[in-house]
Amino acid sequence: MEYNIHMERISAYAKINLTLSVTGKRSDGYHDLESVMHSISLHDVIYVSRTGSKEITVESDVALPENNTIYRAAKLYLERVGCGVHIKVNKKIPSEAGLGGASADAAAVLTVLQRMYKAYSKDELFKLGKQIGADVPFCMMGGCCLAQGIGEILTPQKCVPLNLLVVKGKEGVSTPKLFSKIKLPLKCANTENFLEAVNERNVGEIARELYNALESEAVNEVPKIAEYKQRLIEQGALGAVMTGSGSAVFGIFESCEKAEEAKKAFSDACFAEVCKTVCK
Ligand code: C5P
């Protein structure tokens, strides 16, 4: 295949849910959420190059499902452009973790294609993102946001610098399966108070008030989630919680050094990484 020498590179940042409340079930099968989300430094790297053909090809260092979000995002975007691209991805974000890896990749592909072709308005681009997945609009926005609706109604917030240790065991959680198991009503976070803590950059209060309504159901599926959460606290985390639909759990630490020290207690985990929240 003939490639254009010009190649675009983009980082696709993972997300964490500092709070996640499920406020209702919709007739389309999705759930209404209220979640304070933050981008983190853990990221995949995506390379996009134009090709001579109209074909879209995806190359990854980790096996991806055939109809993966990278391919779907490129196909959707390029319908209006009529060109082909070759996309290469270096995956670092684990899958079935609740870290939004697949959404981050789709968001990065849409963003980079927009940089290359400018074929859509900003609104249209966000709509394309929502068609791929509920978390894609947030991943396109980045930073810290209050997410409502199915996750696509976004209110940007002040970024909070947080030192994190993210851990995940071998077993993942399937998002649709988990959502199909929950029984409403579930306890909700006090989002207003939480946003105040975010606005004041009150790390102690943020760590104390971390909350995920999906966590107890996810623990029934994957008990390791509770074990890792407990261990993060024992290792000095100010607070710890599962992110998204799991199975990754993160702890907030006073410093990067303390997070690195705590990481030593997770040699049995298939993923343990010290990272930071990132701003847009
Ligand atoms: O949009 P996404 O593909 O990320 O969602 C995966 C699945 O998770 C949906 O098909 C749905 O079952 C569930 N989900 C939900 N409510 C949301 C987000 C996801 O029920 N707000």
Side-chain angles (χ1 to χ4, degrees), residues 22 24-26 28-33 69 72 103 130-136 149-151 174-177 179-180 182 245:
V22 182
K25 186 163 183 191
R26 302 157 57 117
D28 61 4
Y30 271 82
H31 291 78
D32 277 315
L33 309 177
T69 57
R72 282 168 54 210
S103 304
K130 189 184 163 191
Q131 282 183 58
I132 307 290
D135 287 336
V136 179
I150 64 164
S174 150
T175 307
K177 196 171 154 201
F179 270 106
S180 74
I182 57 168
S245 55

PDB file of all heavy atoms in Angstrom, residues 22 24-26 28-33 69 72 103 130-136 149-151 174-177 179-180 182 245, ligand 1:
ATOM      1  N   VAL A  22     -26.080   6.908  39.185  1.00  0.00           N
ATOM      2  CA  VAL A  22     -27.047   6.508  38.146  1.00  0.00           C
ATOM      3  C   VAL A  22     -28.392   7.062  38.583  1.00  0.00           C
ATOM      4  O   VAL A  22     -28.908   6.676  39.627  1.00  0.00           O
ATOM      5  CB  VAL A  22     -27.104   4.967  37.991  1.00  0.00           C
ATOM      6  CG1 VAL A  22     -28.063   4.579  36.877  1.00  0.00           C
ATOM      7  CG2 VAL A  22     -25.715   4.400  37.729  1.00  0.00           C
ATOM      8  N   GLY A  24     -31.328   7.313  36.600  1.00  0.00           N
ATOM      9  CA  GLY A  24     -32.551   6.761  36.007  1.00  0.00           C
ATOM     10  C   GLY A  24     -32.252   5.864  34.829  1.00  0.00           C
ATOM     11  O   GLY A  24     -31.117   5.807  34.354  1.00  0.00           O
ATOM     12  N   LYS A  25     -33.304   5.148  34.380  1.00  0.00           N
ATOM     13  CA  LYS A  25     -33.148   4.306  33.188  1.00  0.00           C
ATOM     14  C   LYS A  25     -33.997   4.898  32.084  1.00  0.00           C
ATOM     15  O   LYS A  25     -35.125   5.322  32.305  1.00  0.00           O
ATOM     16  CB  LYS A  25     -33.581   2.868  33.497  1.00  0.00           C
ATOM     17  CG  LYS A  25     -33.307   1.957  32.351  1.00  0.00           C
ATOM     18  CD  LYS A  25     -33.321   0.503  32.657  1.00  0.00           C
ATOM     19  CE  LYS A  25     -32.929  -0.218  31.351  1.00  0.00           C
ATOM     20  NZ  LYS A  25     -33.139  -1.605  31.388  1.00  0.00           N
ATOM     21  N   ARG A  26     -33.457   4.934  30.882  1.00  0.00           N
ATOM     22  CA  ARG A  26     -34.154   5.562  29.755  1.00  0.00           C
ATOM     23  C   ARG A  26     -34.824   4.506  28.887  1.00  0.00           C
ATOM     24  O   ARG A  26     -34.490   3.330  28.961  1.00  0.00           O
ATOM     25  CB  ARG A  26     -33.141   6.331  28.909  1.00  0.00           C
ATOM     26  CG  ARG A  26     -32.391   7.382  29.689  1.00  0.00           C
ATOM     27  CD  ARG A  26     -31.072   7.728  29.066  1.00  0.00           C
ATOM     28  NE  ARG A  26     -31.196   8.185  27.705  1.00  0.00           N
ATOM     29  CZ  ARG A  26     -30.848   9.420  27.296  1.00  0.00           C
ATOM     30  NH1 ARG A  26     -30.334  10.286  28.148  1.00  0.00           N
ATOM     31  NH2 ARG A  26     -30.963   9.755  26.041  1.00  0.00           N
ATOM     32  N   ASP A  28     -34.408   4.073  25.792  1.00  0.00           N
ATOM     33  CA  ASP A  28     -33.494   3.519  24.775  1.00  0.00           C
ATOM     34  C   ASP A  28     -32.513   2.499  25.365  1.00  0.00           C
ATOM     35  O   ASP A  28     -31.602   2.039  24.681  1.00  0.00           O
ATOM     36  CB  ASP A  28     -32.728   4.650  24.067  1.00  0.00           C
ATOM     37  CG  ASP A  28     -31.856   5.478  25.009  1.00  0.00           C
ATOM     38  OD1 ASP A  28     -31.775   5.135  26.208  1.00  0.00           O
ATOM     39  OD2 ASP A  28     -31.246   6.467  24.551  1.00  0.00           O
ATOM     40  N   GLY A  29     -32.694   2.141  26.639  1.00  0.00           N
ATOM     41  CA  GLY A  29     -31.831   1.113  27.248  1.00  0.00           C
ATOM     42  C   GLY A  29     -30.641   1.706  27.988  1.00  0.00           C
ATOM     43  O   GLY A  29     -30.037   1.049  28.828  1.00  0.00           O
ATOM     44  N   TYR A  30     -30.300   2.942  27.673  1.00  0.00           N
ATOM     45  CA  TYR A  30     -29.193   3.617  28.374  1.00  0.00           C
ATOM     46  C   TYR A  30     -29.660   4.114  29.744  1.00  0.00           C
ATOM     47  O   TYR A  30     -30.860   4.150  30.017  1.00  0.00           O
ATOM     48  CB  TYR A  30     -28.688   4.807  27.544  1.00  0.00           C
ATOM     49  CG  TYR A  30     -27.591   4.435  26.562  1.00  0.00           C
ATOM     50  CD1 TYR A  30     -27.892   3.869  25.328  1.00  0.00           C
ATOM     51  CD2 TYR A  30     -26.255   4.652  26.871  1.00  0.00           C
ATOM     52  CE1 TYR A  30     -26.885   3.525  24.424  1.00  0.00           C
ATOM     53  CE2 TYR A  30     -25.251   4.322  25.980  1.00  0.00           C
ATOM     54  CZ  TYR A  30     -25.566   3.758  24.762  1.00  0.00           C
ATOM     55  OH  TYR A  30     -24.567   3.422  23.881  1.00  0.00           O
ATOM     56  N   HIS A  31     -28.710   4.495  30.574  1.00  0.00           N
ATOM     57  CA  HIS A  31     -29.024   5.044  31.896  1.00  0.00           C
ATOM     58  C   HIS A  31     -28.613   6.513  31.962  1.00  0.00           C
ATOM     59  O   HIS A  31     -27.608   6.905  31.359  1.00  0.00           O
ATOM     60  CB  HIS A  31     -28.293   4.258  32.988  1.00  0.00           C
ATOM     61  CG  HIS A  31     -28.822   2.875  33.152  1.00  0.00           C
ATOM     62  ND1 HIS A  31     -28.500   1.856  32.283  1.00  0.00           N
ATOM     63  CD2 HIS A  31     -29.680   2.354  34.069  1.00  0.00           C
ATOM     64  CE1 HIS A  31     -29.126   0.759  32.663  1.00  0.00           C
ATOM     65  NE2 HIS A  31     -29.848   1.031  33.743  1.00  0.00           N
ATOM     66  N   ASP A  32     -29.384   7.290  32.709  1.00  0.00           N
ATOM     67  CA  ASP A  32     -28.988   8.669  32.967  1.00  0.00           C
ATOM     68  C   ASP A  32     -27.982   8.670  34.107  1.00  0.00           C
ATOM     69  O   ASP A  32     -28.187   7.990  35.126  1.00  0.00           O
ATOM     70  CB  ASP A  32     -30.206   9.523  33.344  1.00  0.00           C
ATOM     71  CG  ASP A  32     -30.932  10.004  32.106  1.00  0.00           C
ATOM     72  OD1 ASP A  32     -30.250  10.453  31.162  1.00  0.00           O
ATOM     73  OD2 ASP A  32     -32.171   9.908  32.074  1.00  0.00           O
ATOM     74  N   LEU A  33     -26.923   9.424  33.903  1.00  0.00           N
ATOM     75  CA  LEU A  33     -25.829   9.458  34.879  1.00  0.00           C
ATOM     76  C   LEU A  33     -25.563  10.882  35.338  1.00  0.00           C
ATOM     77  O   LEU A  33     -25.953  11.843  34.681  1.00  0.00           O
ATOM     78  CB  LEU A  33     -24.522   8.940  34.242  1.00  0.00           C
ATOM     79  CG  LEU A  33     -24.531   7.613  33.508  1.00  0.00           C
ATOM     80  CD1 LEU A  33     -23.158   7.344  32.908  1.00  0.00           C
ATOM     81  CD2 LEU A  33     -24.920   6.485  34.455  1.00  0.00           C
ATOM     82  N   THR A  69     -13.607   0.697  18.032  1.00  0.00           N
ATOM     83  CA  THR A  69     -14.039   2.102  18.004  1.00  0.00           C
ATOM     84  C   THR A  69     -13.134   2.968  17.116  1.00  0.00           C
ATOM     85  O   THR A  69     -13.578   3.997  16.617  1.00  0.00           O
ATOM     86  CB  THR A  69     -14.058   2.699  19.427  1.00  0.00           C
ATOM     87  OG1 THR A  69     -12.755   2.565  19.987  1.00  0.00           O
ATOM     88  CG2 THR A  69     -15.086   2.027  20.309  1.00  0.00           C
ATOM     89  N   ARG A  72     -14.520   2.342  13.659  1.00  0.00           N
ATOM     90  CA  ARG A  72     -15.864   2.929  13.555  1.00  0.00           C
ATOM     91  C   ARG A  72     -15.802   4.454  13.472  1.00  0.00           C
ATOM     92  O   ARG A  72     -16.526   5.081  12.695  1.00  0.00           O
ATOM     93  CB  ARG A  72     -16.730   2.490  14.749  1.00  0.00           C
ATOM     94  CG  ARG A  72     -17.250   1.060  14.574  1.00  0.00           C
ATOM     95  CD  ARG A  72     -17.844   0.528  15.855  1.00  0.00           C
ATOM     96  NE  ARG A  72     -18.861   1.398  16.400  1.00  0.00           N
ATOM     97  CZ  ARG A  72     -19.122   1.510  17.705  1.00  0.00           C
ATOM     98  NH1 ARG A  72     -18.445   0.808  18.589  1.00  0.00           N
ATOM     99  NH2 ARG A  72     -20.073   2.318  18.114  1.00  0.00           N
ATOM    100  N   SER A 103     -13.070   4.588  24.121  1.00  0.00           N
ATOM    101  CA  SER A 103     -13.667   5.910  23.860  1.00  0.00           C
ATOM    102  C   SER A 103     -12.574   6.935  23.578  1.00  0.00           C
ATOM    103  O   SER A 103     -12.721   7.796  22.699  1.00  0.00           O
ATOM    104  CB  SER A 103     -14.482   6.377  25.071  1.00  0.00           C
ATOM    105  OG  SER A 103     -15.449   5.432  25.394  1.00  0.00           O
ATOM    106  N   LYS A 130     -20.739  10.948  20.039  1.00  0.00           N
ATOM    107  CA  LYS A 130     -21.814  10.311  20.817  1.00  0.00           C
ATOM    108  C   LYS A 130     -22.314   9.045  20.123  1.00  0.00           C
ATOM    109  O   LYS A 130     -22.713   8.083  20.776  1.00  0.00           O
ATOM    110  CB  LYS A 130     -22.954  11.313  21.019  1.00  0.00           C
ATOM    111  CG  LYS A 130     -24.002  10.813  21.987  1.00  0.00           C
ATOM    112  CD  LYS A 130     -25.168  11.762  22.116  1.00  0.00           C
ATOM    113  CE  LYS A 130     -26.361  11.056  22.755  1.00  0.00           C
ATOM    114  NZ  LYS A 130     -27.588  11.847  22.679  1.00  0.00           N
ATOM    115  N   GLN A 131     -22.293   9.054  18.768  1.00  0.00           N
ATOM    116  CA  GLN A 131     -22.735   7.855  18.037  1.00  0.00           C
ATOM    117  C   GLN A 131     -21.816   6.667  18.297  1.00  0.00           C
ATOM    118  O   GLN A 131     -22.229   5.516  18.203  1.00  0.00           O
ATOM    119  CB  GLN A 131     -22.753   8.135  16.534  1.00  0.00           C
ATOM    120  CG  GLN A 131     -23.953   8.943  16.085  1.00  0.00           C
ATOM    121  CD  GLN A 131     -23.921   9.120  14.569  1.00  0.00           C
ATOM    122  OE1 GLN A 131     -23.910   8.158  13.809  1.00  0.00           O
ATOM    123  NE2 GLN A 131     -23.871  10.359  14.131  1.00  0.00           N
ATOM    124  N   ILE A 132     -20.554   6.952  18.606  1.00  0.00           N
ATOM    125  CA  ILE A 132     -19.597   5.855  18.846  1.00  0.00           C
ATOM    126  C   ILE A 132     -19.742   5.328  20.272  1.00  0.00           C
ATOM    127  O   ILE A 132     -19.685   4.128  20.516  1.00  0.00           O
ATOM    128  CB  ILE A 132     -18.123   6.322  18.625  1.00  0.00           C
ATOM    129  CG1 ILE A 132     -17.935   6.971  17.245  1.00  0.00           C
ATOM    130  CG2 ILE A 132     -17.139   5.175  18.821  1.00  0.00           C
ATOM    131  CD1 ILE A 132     -18.020   6.039  16.086  1.00  0.00           C
ATOM    132  N   GLY A 133     -19.932   6.209  21.240  1.00  0.00           N
ATOM    133  CA  GLY A 133     -20.076   5.751  22.629  1.00  0.00           C
ATOM    134  C   GLY A 133     -20.330   6.918  23.576  1.00  0.00           C
ATOM    135  O   GLY A 133     -19.976   8.064  23.272  1.00  0.00           O
ATOM    136  N   ALA A 134     -20.935   6.597  24.723  1.00  0.00           N
ATOM    137  CA  ALA A 134     -21.374   7.631  25.669  1.00  0.00           C
ATOM    138  C   ALA A 134     -20.206   8.461  26.222  1.00  0.00           C
ATOM    139  O   ALA A 134     -20.387   9.632  26.560  1.00  0.00           O
ATOM    140  CB  ALA A 134     -22.141   6.975  26.812  1.00  0.00           C
ATOM    141  N   ASP A 135     -19.016   7.861  26.336  1.00  0.00           N
ATOM    142  CA  ASP A 135     -17.879   8.573  26.924  1.00  0.00           C
ATOM    143  C   ASP A 135     -17.034   9.320  25.884  1.00  0.00           C
ATOM    144  O   ASP A 135     -16.086  10.027  26.249  1.00  0.00           O
ATOM    145  CB  ASP A 135     -16.954   7.588  27.670  1.00  0.00           C
ATOM    146  CG  ASP A 135     -17.576   7.113  28.976  1.00  0.00           C
ATOM    147  OD1 ASP A 135     -18.440   7.837  29.520  1.00  0.00           O
ATOM    148  OD2 ASP A 135     -17.190   6.029  29.439  1.00  0.00           O
ATOM    149  N   VAL A 136     -17.340   9.135  24.612  1.00  0.00           N
ATOM    150  CA  VAL A 136     -16.488   9.744  23.570  1.00  0.00           C
ATOM    151  C   VAL A 136     -16.536  11.278  23.624  1.00  0.00           C
ATOM    152  O   VAL A 136     -15.482  11.925  23.564  1.00  0.00           O
ATOM    153  CB  VAL A 136     -16.829   9.196  22.159  1.00  0.00           C
ATOM    154  CG1 VAL A 136     -15.967   9.858  21.095  1.00  0.00           C
ATOM    155  CG2 VAL A 136     -16.647   7.683  22.130  1.00  0.00           C
ATOM    156  N   GLY A 149     -26.805  13.358  31.444  1.00  0.00           N
ATOM    157  CA  GLY A 149     -27.419  12.629  30.332  1.00  0.00           C
ATOM    158  C   GLY A 149     -26.837  11.228  30.342  1.00  0.00           C
ATOM    159  O   GLY A 149     -26.636  10.645  31.417  1.00  0.00           O
ATOM    160  N   ILE A 150     -26.508  10.687  29.178  1.00  0.00           N
ATOM    161  CA  ILE A 150     -25.837   9.369  29.193  1.00  0.00           C
ATOM    162  C   ILE A 150     -24.326   9.554  29.362  1.00  0.00           C
ATOM    163  O   ILE A 150     -23.560   8.602  29.319  1.00  0.00           O
ATOM    164  CB  ILE A 150     -26.166   8.516  27.939  1.00  0.00           C
ATOM    165  CG1 ILE A 150     -25.629   9.171  26.645  1.00  0.00           C
ATOM    166  CG2 ILE A 150     -27.651   8.233  27.846  1.00  0.00           C
ATOM    167  CD1 ILE A 150     -25.575   8.209  25.470  1.00  0.00           C
ATOM    168  N   GLY A 151     -23.907  10.799  29.531  1.00  0.00           N
ATOM    169  CA  GLY A 151     -22.487  11.119  29.693  1.00  0.00           C
ATOM    170  C   GLY A 151     -22.053  12.198  28.725  1.00  0.00           C
ATOM    171  O   GLY A 151     -20.913  12.662  28.756  1.00  0.00           O
ATOM    172  N   SER A 174     -17.742  -6.298  31.842  1.00  0.00           N
ATOM    173  CA  SER A 174     -18.431  -5.879  30.623  1.00  0.00           C
ATOM    174  C   SER A 174     -19.438  -4.785  30.991  1.00  0.00           C
ATOM    175  O   SER A 174     -20.319  -5.004  31.823  1.00  0.00           O
ATOM    176  CB  SER A 174     -19.135  -7.078  29.989  1.00  0.00           C
ATOM    177  OG  SER A 174     -20.285  -6.645  29.305  1.00  0.00           O
ATOM    178  N   THR A 175     -19.305  -3.608  30.370  1.00  0.00           N
ATOM    179  CA  THR A 175     -20.174  -2.460  30.703  1.00  0.00           C
ATOM    180  C   THR A 175     -21.664  -2.780  30.489  1.00  0.00           C
ATOM    181  O   THR A 175     -22.466  -2.583  31.409  1.00  0.00           O
ATOM    182  CB  THR A 175     -19.761  -1.216  29.890  1.00  0.00           C
ATOM    183  OG1 THR A 175     -18.368  -1.001  30.087  1.00  0.00           O
ATOM    184  CG2 THR A 175     -20.521   0.021  30.314  1.00  0.00           C
ATOM    185  N   PRO A 176     -22.078  -3.274  29.284  1.00  0.00           N
ATOM    186  CA  PRO A 176     -23.515  -3.544  29.112  1.00  0.00           C
ATOM    187  C   PRO A 176     -24.042  -4.570  30.102  1.00  0.00           C
ATOM    188  O   PRO A 176     -25.151  -4.427  30.629  1.00  0.00           O
ATOM    189  CB  PRO A 176     -23.631  -4.065  27.670  1.00  0.00           C
ATOM    190  CG  PRO A 176     -22.286  -4.062  27.092  1.00  0.00           C
ATOM    191  CD  PRO A 176     -21.313  -3.482  28.055  1.00  0.00           C
ATOM    192  N   LYS A 177     -23.237  -5.591  30.400  1.00  0.00           N
ATOM    193  CA  LYS A 177     -23.668  -6.642  31.333  1.00  0.00           C
ATOM    194  C   LYS A 177     -23.889  -6.045  32.729  1.00  0.00           C
ATOM    195  O   LYS A 177     -24.890  -6.326  33.389  1.00  0.00           O
ATOM    196  CB  LYS A 177     -22.597  -7.746  31.376  1.00  0.00           C
ATOM    197  CG  LYS A 177     -23.076  -9.041  31.998  1.00  0.00           C
ATOM    198  CD  LYS A 177     -22.063 -10.144  31.805  1.00  0.00           C
ATOM    199  CE  LYS A 177     -22.223 -11.176  32.908  1.00  0.00           C
ATOM    200  NZ  LYS A 177     -21.035 -11.985  33.082  1.00  0.00           N
ATOM    201  N   PHE A 179     -24.492  -2.856  33.551  1.00  0.00           N
ATOM    202  CA  PHE A 179     -25.659  -1.957  33.561  1.00  0.00           C
ATOM    203  C   PHE A 179     -26.960  -2.766  33.562  1.00  0.00           C
ATOM    204  O   PHE A 179     -27.951  -2.343  34.145  1.00  0.00           O
ATOM    205  CB  PHE A 179     -25.626  -0.998  32.366  1.00  0.00           C
ATOM    206  CG  PHE A 179     -24.910   0.301  32.655  1.00  0.00           C
ATOM    207  CD1 PHE A 179     -23.649   0.555  32.140  1.00  0.00           C
ATOM    208  CD2 PHE A 179     -25.498   1.275  33.458  1.00  0.00           C
ATOM    209  CE1 PHE A 179     -22.989   1.759  32.405  1.00  0.00           C
ATOM    210  CE2 PHE A 179     -24.839   2.481  33.737  1.00  0.00           C
ATOM    211  CZ  PHE A 179     -23.591   2.713  33.205  1.00  0.00           C
ATOM    212  N   SER A 180     -26.957  -3.934  32.916  1.00  0.00           N
ATOM    213  CA  SER A 180     -28.199  -4.738  32.858  1.00  0.00           C
ATOM    214  C   SER A 180     -28.515  -5.355  34.215  1.00  0.00           C
ATOM    215  O   SER A 180     -29.649  -5.774  34.465  1.00  0.00           O
ATOM    216  CB  SER A 180     -28.084  -5.826  31.787  1.00  0.00           C
ATOM    217  OG  SER A 180     -27.217  -6.850  32.250  1.00  0.00           O
ATOM    218  N   ILE A 182     -27.901  -3.839  37.356  1.00  0.00           N
ATOM    219  CA  ILE A 182     -28.168  -2.930  38.480  1.00  0.00           C
ATOM    220  C   ILE A 182     -29.671  -2.737  38.690  1.00  0.00           C
ATOM    221  O   ILE A 182     -30.457  -2.804  37.751  1.00  0.00           O
ATOM    222  CB  ILE A 182     -27.469  -1.556  38.313  1.00  0.00           C
ATOM    223  CG1 ILE A 182     -27.881  -0.882  36.998  1.00  0.00           C
ATOM    224  CG2 ILE A 182     -25.965  -1.685  38.416  1.00  0.00           C
ATOM    225  CD1 ILE A 182     -27.465   0.573  36.922  1.00  0.00           C
ATOM    226  N   SER A 245     -17.301   1.493  34.845  1.00  0.00           N
ATOM    227  CA  SER A 245     -17.912   0.188  35.120  1.00  0.00           C
ATOM    228  C   SER A 245     -16.857  -0.843  35.545  1.00  0.00           C
ATOM    229  O   SER A 245     -17.138  -2.035  35.583  1.00  0.00           O
ATOM    230  CB  SER A 245     -18.686  -0.277  33.890  1.00  0.00           C
ATOM    231  OG  SER A 245     -17.843  -0.274  32.767  1.00  0.00           O
TER     232      SER A 245
HETATM  233  O1  C5P B   1     -22.014   3.942  24.845  1.00  0.00           O
HETATM  234  P1  C5P B   1     -21.175   2.765  25.233  1.00  0.00           P
HETATM  235  O2  C5P B   1     -20.902   1.855  24.077  1.00  0.00           O
HETATM  236  O3  C5P B   1     -19.954   3.129  25.978  1.00  0.00           O
HETATM  237  O4  C5P B   1     -22.069   1.945  26.257  1.00  0.00           O
HETATM  238  C1  C5P B   1     -21.945   0.555  26.439  1.00  0.00           C
HETATM  239  C2  C5P B   1     -23.188   0.045  27.116  1.00  0.00           C
HETATM  240  O5  C5P B   1     -23.237   0.494  28.470  1.00  0.00           O
HETATM  241  C3  C5P B   1     -24.493   0.521  26.506  1.00  0.00           C
HETATM  242  O6  C5P B   1     -24.887  -0.317  25.460  1.00  0.00           O
HETATM  243  C4  C5P B   1     -25.440   0.431  27.695  1.00  0.00           C
HETATM  244  O7  C5P B   1     -25.876  -0.893  27.886  1.00  0.00           O
HETATM  245  C5  C5P B   1     -24.551   0.788  28.872  1.00  0.00           C
HETATM  246  N1  C5P B   1     -24.649   2.216  29.241  1.00  0.00           N
HETATM  247  C6  C5P B   1     -25.794   2.661  29.896  1.00  0.00           C
HETATM  248  N2  C5P B   1     -25.897   3.992  30.236  1.00  0.00           N
HETATM  249  C7  C5P B   1     -24.893   4.851  29.962  1.00  0.00           C
HETATM  250  C8  C5P B   1     -23.708   4.404  29.325  1.00  0.00           C
HETATM  251  C9  C5P B   1     -23.630   3.081  28.980  1.00  0.00           C
HETATM  252  O8  C5P B   1     -26.710   1.895  30.164  1.00  0.00           O
HETATM  253  N3  C5P B   1     -25.023   6.129  30.312  1.00  0.00           N
END
